[in-house]
Every structure is written in structure tokens, then in C-alpha cells.
Amino acid sequence: NAGVTQTPKFQVLKTGQSMTLQCAQDMNHNSMYWYRQDPGMGLRLIYYSASEGTTDKGEVPNGYNVSRLNKREFSLRLESAAPSQTSVYFCASSEEGIRFYEQYFGPGTRLTVT
Amino acid sequence: AQSVAQPEDQVNVAEGNPLTVKCTYSVSGNPYLFWYVQYPNRGLQFLLKYITGDNLVKGSYGFEAEFNKSQTSFHLKKPSALVSDSALYFCAVRDSSASKIIFGSGTRLSIRP
């Protein structure tokens, strides 16, 4: 099992450009998440999807959109990138139920917006 | 609202000594508590969790944590630190009635030989 995969690993964008970060998981998890990690601020939730076909905003959703394409895939789109979106982005997945809840993370995408 | 605090940005310990990384939380319902570790340029890895049951939970790499309801704490501990334990550690909490996990700001653990 590959677990959670993310593409690309690195990306440099100019202000105003758009891009989509891809995430896929092969653990048959219902819940998927997008976080950003900035120095000294821990992880902040951007969007999450509790099940296929549903998405909800997290702490910092402005400037982002998401698509839960199917149970495996959850993409994050930046429509018009800004320097404030320079960050490391992590995708995660989890299963619900008293025996579960822990999240499994992908390796991250390091995004720089100039 | 749920929140989690890691009061120490950095913890320094000599190899072989016990280590503690502190975490306190606030939730309105029952807490689900987690510890994760992050090595440089990697994603977070799950270490251990408290959902229900015994207050002392054991996890990967010899780590353990104790759930203390009266002090609303979930400190991470290890009896004997290794240099390879040096990493960034995150505490996280989820209210049992919520669907989101909130992460602390992280504590950098540095183990000197």
C-alpha cells in the first residue's frame, strides 16, 4: 500500500497563477483533509471531506477550493495564487469509528508563490 | 470550541535521560487526543492516541502518554531518550462530537549525545 500520495512535491508559481494539488489514498478511508503548515503555526485545516461528495471549510479556506473526486482522491485548487499562500501543504486521510480516528499524512507539497 | 496548547517551543534532553513533551487541551465534550511526529521534509506520522479506556497509552518507538482529565493534559513521555528521537512533535485534539482535529503549534525535541 502506498498510503497517501501527493503531487507535485515542489511547485513555484507567480502571483495570479492557478494550480491544483492532487492527493490520493489507497486505505479506503472515508475522511480526507487538506492542511497548510507554516513555521511556528502548526498545521491549519483548509478544507476537509467527511465522505465522498461532501466538503466543508476548515480554519483557513479563503483562496482555496476543493473537489472530492471519488473516495480515493481529494484535490486542492488555488485559483489565483498569492505570496501569502507560500507554505507546505499536507493531505491526510482517516477512518471514523472508535478504533480509528488517527490521520495518515502524505509527504507534502512545498509551494512557493513569488 | 476546541483548542490545544504546547507550551514549549523546544525541549532539550541528553541521550539516555527521560523526556516529557507537554500538551494541554480544551474541549466541550469528551476528548480524543493524539501525538504525531514529523521528521525533516516528511509528513506527520501517528505515534499514539487516547480515545477511551486506560489513561496511560503506549505507542510507537517506546513513547507513551498519560491522559489526565482533571488537568486537561496529555503529556508525551519516554523513559530513555535516543538521538534519533530528535524531531518535531505535535499534539492534537478532537472533540468527540466534532469531525475535525485541531493541532498544536509543535514542540521541537532535541536529544544531545
Side-chain angles (χ1 to χ4, degrees), chain A residues 33 35 37 40-43 45 48 57-59 90 96 98-108 110, chain B residues 32 34 36 38 41-46 49 51-52 88 90 94 96 98-106:
Chain A
Y33 311 82
Y35 293 92
Q37 184 179 24
M41 300 190 73
L43 272 73
L45 182 65
Y48 69 102
K57 295 178 180 179
E59 300 171 71
F90 290 101
E96 295 295 292
I98 201 72
R99 292 172 53 231
F100 305 103
Y101 296 126
E102 65 269 26
Q103 296 186 357
Y104 294 85
F105 284 79
R110 190 173 295 274
Chain B
Y32 298 158
F34 307 85
Y36 291 83
Q38 185 180 31
N41 301 313
R42 303 285 294 276
L44 276 68
Q45 295 177 35
F46 168 71
K49 66 182 176 184
I51 304 295
T52 187
L88 189 56
F90 289 96
R94 170 178 165 172
S96 58
S99 53
K100 296 178 289 186
I101 289 179
I102 300 297
F103 285 83
S105 56

Side-chain angles (χ1 to χ4, degrees), chain B:
Chain B
Q2 51 194 33
S3 65
V4 60
Q6 294 181 244
E8 301 154 318
D9 290 336
Q10 176 133 356
V11 171
N12 299 308
V13 177
E15 187 175 29
N17 283 359
L19 69 88
T20 300
V21 183
K22 295 179 180 177
C23 173
T24 59
Y25 66 89
S26 174
V27 297
S28 53
N30 292 321
Y32 298 158
L33 295 154
F34 307 85
W35 276 102
Y36 291 83
V37 60
Q38 185 180 31
Y39 298 101
N41 301 313
R42 303 285 294 276
L44 276 68
Q45 295 177 35
F46 168 71
L47 273 181
L48 52 78
K49 66 182 176 184
Y50 171 83
I51 304 295
T52 187
D54 288 342
N55 290 343
L56 183 65
V57 293
K58 294 184 184 297
S60 306
Y61 311 121
F63 284 94
E64 60 188 30
E66 185 164 14
F67 169 59
N68 187 317
K69 188 172 183 178
S70 62
Q71 297 187 3
T72 61
S73 67
F74 190 57
H75 301 331
L76 181 70
K77 300 184 179 188
K78 188 173 182 182
S80 179
L82 299 172
V83 172
S84 57
D85 294 330
S86 299
L88 189 56
Y89 290 80
F90 289 96
C91 182
V93 66
R94 170 178 165 172
D95 190 305
S96 58
S97 61
S99 53
K100 296 178 289 186
I101 289 179
I102 300 297
F103 285 83
S105 56
T107 297
R108 188 164 301 280
L109 179 63
S110 177
I111 310 299
R112 60 183 184 275

